Amino acid sequence: MIGYFSHRNSLPVFADAPTLQHMDERLDRTVFVLLRTILLAAVSGAAAVVILWMIRLLSNLVYYGNWSVDAVSPMFHDLNATVILIPVAGALCAWFLRAWPPLAAALNIGSGIPLGPEGAAMAFGRMVAQWGKGTAAEQELFMLAGISAGFAGLFGTPLAAMVLIFELLTLRKASFIALAAVIGAGMHFMMLGMAPFWQMPALSFPGWDAMGLYSLEGIAAGLTAALLIVAVKAVQRLTAWWWPLVSAAVTGLAGWYAPDILGNGIEQIGMILKGSVLLLLLIHLLTLKLFVVSFSLGTRTQGGTLLPLFSIGASLGIMTALGLQWAFPATQLHPSMAALAGMAALFAGASRGWLTAIVFAVECTREPNAIIPSALACTMAYVVAGLLLKKRTASDHPTQTSAR
């Protein structure tokens, strides 16, 4: 059954990721690969944090006029209609620097385009891995190790970084990729501290009735994931070079009306997971941000997909839980648990990274009691989105389907 749903009609976590070829196991080459992997992972992990600081600095400058790398969200700005021009200016600068994807992505996100810095961090790891010589198989391994270290360096989640590579890319040379993830996460802890990426209130283990309702969140997440993928693929037909600028203008207009949809969403996710959020924010993320993210990804704007999916999914989780709580008032649902299960489920449905979503949701919050609700919601989303997208793929290729 897993194989049936594991197609690639999904949103990639990182574009153009390589797959490994066979590598010889000569001792001298193994030592070379080991030492270079260690160096690459340390550089990529540290660079991920520096990229996050760059994004924060740019957001502080353009939205608040402050020279600071403190965590900030554009959602609290008090600018007038000129805010529309900020994402456009960022996208224009990013277009001129498109040969440097990490920098281009940082400019996009820092100017308010609602994509994730994980794209820039993993792109840097991939780019650095290409420096130096090696066999084709070794170079591909270095690229995967750089991607793993960049992801772990940004979020401080080595297990999720390993699972991401193993589940969506390759299982080969797992030891080197795992080493890179651990070193990348170590750089995160050295530079940002040991705290989890998102803080949550203490959660108790839910009862069986609550488990069933949390799993139903996965149906809504699967439907939303399928809708998002279809929308992105429809927008991808717009191939002219200036469409990312149009997308940035759409972001600016939407951000002028609803500033809470701007930026990478880290602060918004933190607010939602703590339960300190207004209903209007949830509505904006589920409507305007969903539309803007679809347009941004469809026009191939540089940036990551994980954080936008998490912010939309967290909102979806709470909104779904509100409906379920109304329908089943005797069963108590915790909003923070509902948000965490929802954001993991949307990522699982949209990226097809079922295990990655579960591990990342638990590791980035260090909330062990959320693993079963998240797993149930992710499973439902994975199956629902897989069925819908498989059916759509079959309808798009009727001749191939009938031939089978």
Side-chain angles (χ1 to χ4, degrees):
M1 180 175 288
I2 293 295
Y4 177 82
F5 294 113
S6 297
H7 53 81
R8 284 295 177 262
N9 193 1
S10 59
L11 298 180
V13 175
F14 179 73
D16 302 324
T19 56
L20 284 176
Q21 302 173 10
H22 176 72
M23 286 181 59
D24 295 327
E25 297 292 341
R26 292 192 353 241
L27 178 61
D28 58 335
R29 299 308 298 177
T30 300
V31 172
F32 166 76
V33 170
L34 176 63
L35 295 177
R36 185 169 166 184
T37 298
I38 293 172
L39 178 61
L40 169 65
V43 172
S44 299
V49 178
V50 172
I51 288 170
L52 181 61
W53 286 342
M54 288 174 56
I55 292 171
R56 291 176 177 177
L57 176 62
L58 182 57
S59 294
N60 271 296
L61 275 175
V62 298
Y63 285 99
Y64 303 103
N66 298 326
W67 283 88
S68 173
V69 295
D70 292 338
V72 68
S73 170
M75 66 182 292
F76 300 113
H77 77 79
D78 57 358
L79 302 176
N80 54 25
T82 56
V83 72
I84 300 172
L85 300 178
I86 295 177
V88 177
L92 185 61
C93 294
W95 185 84
F96 284 109
L97 294 171
R98 62 191 182 279
W100 295 81
L103 186 55
L107 287 170
N108 280 329
I109 300 162
S111 64
I113 292 175
L115 298 178
E118 70 277 4
M122 291 188 286
F124 182 87
R126 186 180 192 275
M127 182 180 69
V128 171
Q130 296 173 328
W131 299 347
K133 297 181 180 180
T135 67
E138 289 170 350
Q139 289 297 101
E140 291 173 347
L141 171 59
F142 294 142
M143 283 189 276
L144 290 174
I147 293 169
S148 176
F151 187 94
L154 180 65
F155 295 112
T157 54
L159 290 178
M162 297 177 207
V163 175
L164 172 75
I165 301 297
F166 302 155
E167 183 177 34
L168 299 180
L169 299 176
T170 182
L171 280 170
R172 298 182 183 179
K173 289 299 174 184
S175 57
F176 290 98
I177 294 170
L179 175 65
V182 171
I183 293 174
M187 300 306 297
H188 172 98
F189 297 137
M190 288 175 57
M191 301 172 73
L192 294 178
M194 298 298 295
F197 197 76
W198 286 298
Q199 301 278 355
M200 288 185 68
L203 301 178
S204 59
F205 196 78
W208 67 267
D209 51 346
M211 292 278 199
L213 295 185
Y214 287 129
S215 68
L216 293 180
E217 289 186 25
I219 297 177
L223 293 170
T224 305
L227 173 65
L228 178 62
I229 292 170
V230 171
V232 169
K233 291 185 178 298
V235 177
Q236 284 177 343
R237 299 170 184 170
L238 308 174
T239 58
W241 68 268
W242 39 265
W243 274 110
L245 299 180
V246 176
S247 172
V250 171
T251 299
L253 283 168
W256 181 33
Y257 171 74
D260 40 25
I261 66 103
L262 292 172
N264 54 51
I266 293 175
E267 287 73 27
Q268 290 92 325
I269 295 171
M271 293 167 57
I272 295 172
L273 290 176
K274 291 178 181 177
S276 56
V277 63
L278 299 176
L279 181 62
L280 187 60
L281 170 63
L282 302 178
I283 294 173
H284 286 165
L285 294 181
L286 272 177
T287 55
L288 285 174
K289 184 158 187 173
L290 182 64
F291 172 76
V292 171
V293 167
S294 301
F295 208 70
S296 297
L297 294 177
T299 54
R300 296 174 175 83
T301 302
Q302 294 281 359
T305 62
L306 186 146
L307 283 177
L309 290 175
F310 267 37
S311 60
I312 296 169
S315 304
L316 179 65
I318 290 189
M319 295 293 284
T320 305
L322 289 174
L324 292 171
Q325 191 72 85
W326 175 82
F328 304 94
T331 302
Q332 294 299 313
L333 300 178
H334 197 292
S336 296
M337 184 78 81
L340 186 60
M343 73 186 204
L346 185 62
F347 179 78
S351 72
R352 316 306 296 150
W354 174 78
L355 187 56
T356 303
I358 299 169
V359 173
F360 183 79
V362 175
E363 191 177 17
C364 70
T365 59
R366 298 181 195 165
E367 181 46 68
N369 287 330
I371 187 168
I372 302 300
S374 297
L376 291 171
C378 287
T379 301
M380 293 295 290
Y382 188 88
V383 171
V384 169
L387 285 172
L388 292 174
L389 295 170
K390 199 80 174 183
K391 183 177 180 180
R392 182 176 184 272
T393 302
S395 64
D396 289 342
H397 304 282
T399 303
Q400 295 178 13
T401 304
S402 60
R404 291 201 280 282

